[in-house]
Amino acid sequence: MSASLASASATTAPDLNALCNNRHLIQTALRVFTVMPWFTVPRRPTGPSRRAVRLLAVLLCLSPIVLTSGACASNQAPPASARATATRTPPPTKPYVNATVPASQSGYDWREFEGTADGWQSRSSQSNEWSGLNRAALNLHSASALIADERGAVLYSKNARAVRPIASVTKLMTAMVVLDTGVSLKNDIRIIEEDRDRLKNSRSRLRINDTVLSRREMIMVALMSSDNRAAHALGRTTFRGGTTEFVQAMNRKARSLGMHNTQFVDSSGLDPRNRSTAEDLVKMVRAASNYPLIRETTSRGEMTLRPFADGTALQYRNTNPLVRSPDWTVEVSKTGFINEAGRCLVMRARIDNRSLYMVFLGSDGKLSTVGDSNRVRDWILTSRRTTAAR
């Protein structure tokens, strides 16, 4: 009889997964056990013993179904403690929200880099290294300017807290926000009609619907040649919320860097409501210098890309001519221009074996920021030689 029961159990017990997925099978099996006379009990013994044997047989047949139902319940409903733990676990923080700059080697917190004109003067005078600089001898043409070293000592300032449009200097922040998200740089992005500039009607060699570049290449084009369609495409495709969510991330990033007088409204800088100060932009340039791709792209002189299906090559040259000058070692740079902002240039460059941050805003002539940069370099080198000769 035991062999018959085992055979019957193997034949009639449904598969575990099938039972979990269909309660109707369990109900059917129960009906089968109650109506099918597929086992017999010997006539002897009789009475209570016979009833006990019959009850035992029924229990043996039903036990697989009871155990299977328990397994289904355990698979479908996690323990209450696990549900409570899952509920209490906070979602992971998006990297771009907390993407602040690593601490400098000097320990100086650049988020606190600020001061009035008198404050800049007193702070810079405390640095013995720059005590020999004759600030009256430096005459810059830019409306706002600020020169600082890696430790936060200010060599020169002019209207450093004046809020001004910053034009395509914006694209440094655009690149940082994209890189902070950790999104793949290998994914292709197509330039579409939405990326066309209808505010300033600026030109671009990236043809609508015919240009496909990787996200990495889009960043490089936006930074090196200041292409506005590339910058807009980056803002459009990085977050599910599109450009609106991207601009919000730009402003969060600015606040995390201590850029309290900065506002962004687009990813390209075409909108003159993108505004900042020379003081804030020093913080942004320093933050950008922590990104290898930004350093690599903004310090190279030129590159070649093939964004079209027919393989046509496009040659790009850096909008900052100083990167091609043998007299300069530029580590990070970005230019900008719209009528409201004038000519702008921000960069980190090495002068006399020291990395310096330079911000020039609101210059008039096409090469006026380059001229101011050369004046700063000559001023520092001359002052250092004079001090050494004493």
Side-chain angles (χ1 to χ4, degrees), residues 43 46 50 88 91 98 104 186 220 225 273 317 322 329 361:
R43 293 182 180 273
T46 60
R50 184 178 181 182
R88 290 194 301 267
N98 296 321
S104 64
K186 297 180 180 179
M220 297 175 71
S225 71
R273 291 176 296 171
R317 289 170 62 85
L322 295 178
T329 301
L361 303 177

Side-chain angles (χ1 to χ4, degrees), residues 157 273 284:
S157 68
R273 291 176 296 171
M284 188 173 77

Side-chain angles (χ1 to χ4, degrees), residues 233-299:
L234 291 170
R236 172 176 56 83
T237 61
T238 300
F239 297 115
R240 291 184 178 180
T243 303
T244 300
E245 186 176 354
F246 191 89
V247 172
Q248 292 172 354
M250 293 174 71
N251 286 303
R252 282 195 297 270
K253 175 76 169 180
R255 290 194 297 271
S256 74
L257 296 175
M259 300 172 64
H260 304 301
N261 296 305
T262 298
Q263 174 187 342
F264 295 104
V265 298
D266 71 10
S267 59
S268 65
L270 288 169
D271 195 312
R273 291 176 296 171
N274 283 16
R275 300 169 69 84
S276 187
T277 66
E279 172 186 288
D280 279 2
L281 292 181
V282 166
K283 302 174 186 178
M284 188 173 77
V285 175
R286 186 181 184 280
S289 68
N290 287 284
Y291 296 77
L293 180 58
I294 295 178
R295 292 198 309 269
E296 171 194 345
T297 302
T298 63
S299 62

Side-chain angles (χ1 to χ4, degrees), residues 25-73:
L25 292 178
I26 298 177
Q27 297 172 354
T28 302
L30 289 172
R31 287 196 296 270
V32 168
F33 288 131
T34 57
V35 300
M36 290 187 64
W38 47 268
F39 66 90
T40 60
V41 179
R43 293 182 180 273
R44 296 174 185 174
T46 60
S49 297
R50 184 178 181 182
R51 287 195 298 271
V53 172
R54 188 181 297 274
L55 178 61
L56 177 62
V58 172
L59 292 176
L60 289 174
C61 293
L62 292 179
S63 59
I65 299 177
V66 174
L67 295 174
T68 299
S69 301
C72 292

Side-chain angles (χ1 to χ4, degrees), residues 190-206:
R190 181 180 296 275
I191 297 296
I192 62 175
E193 182 64 32
E194 186 180 344
D195 300 320
R196 188 189 301 275
D197 168 27
R198 299 190 181 280
L199 181 63
K200 301 289 186 180
N201 296 315
S202 59
R203 298 181 58 185
S204 171
R205 292 188 291 168
L206 301 181

